[in-house]
Amino acid sequence: MEKITFDSLTKSKLSEFNKAELQGWIIDQFQQLENRIDLKIIEYFQPNDKIKFEKIVLNSTIINNGGKLKILTNIGVKKTTIEKLRTVARIRNGFSHTRIRQNITIMISDNANNPEKNQILSESIIDVMNSNGKITSKSAYEWIIEFLTLRNELRKELN
């Protein structure tokens, strides 16, 4: 079997992504935020061997994202930052574990003399279950915008 390497994504606009690329991009962006979380924890505890601390103690099989957020809460990271991290994690999970489906809405005008009022809207939708077990539909586009906004804010806040 031939060994292969995987190139980084070369597309520069979200509008160029297909569904799989979009999902992968969101996971990658969240992973970058997780790296910043790890650095914040390392900075606070200042272990003797930072590499081992990160690879062993902060390994996601030992401390998951929720556990790391609890650590951040207890080392003085602002509550608003923690809430933003929870929100981007929910969005990441929505894109990672749920199928993106197309929803088409057709609106027909009651006025037969004005057919221009008829509209066909197509939208990418993600159905997600909240912590109470209720399923709600989210616009993939609106969720991406929220994710981007929060990601940019968190990059500054976690420095």
Side-chain angles (χ1 to χ4, degrees), residues 14 91 139-151:
L14 284 174
I91 294 170
S139 161
Y141 175 78
E142 289 173 9
W143 245 16
I144 292 166
I145 297 303
E146 183 177 5
F147 183 88
L148 284 170
T149 301
L150 292 174
R151 180 210 59 182

Side-chain angles (χ1 to χ4, degrees), residues 66-79:
K68 291 178 183 181
L69 294 184
K70 289 175 184 176
I71 292 170
L72 292 179
T73 299
N74 284 285
I75 64 173
V77 173
K78 291 189 279 184
K79 187 176 181 176

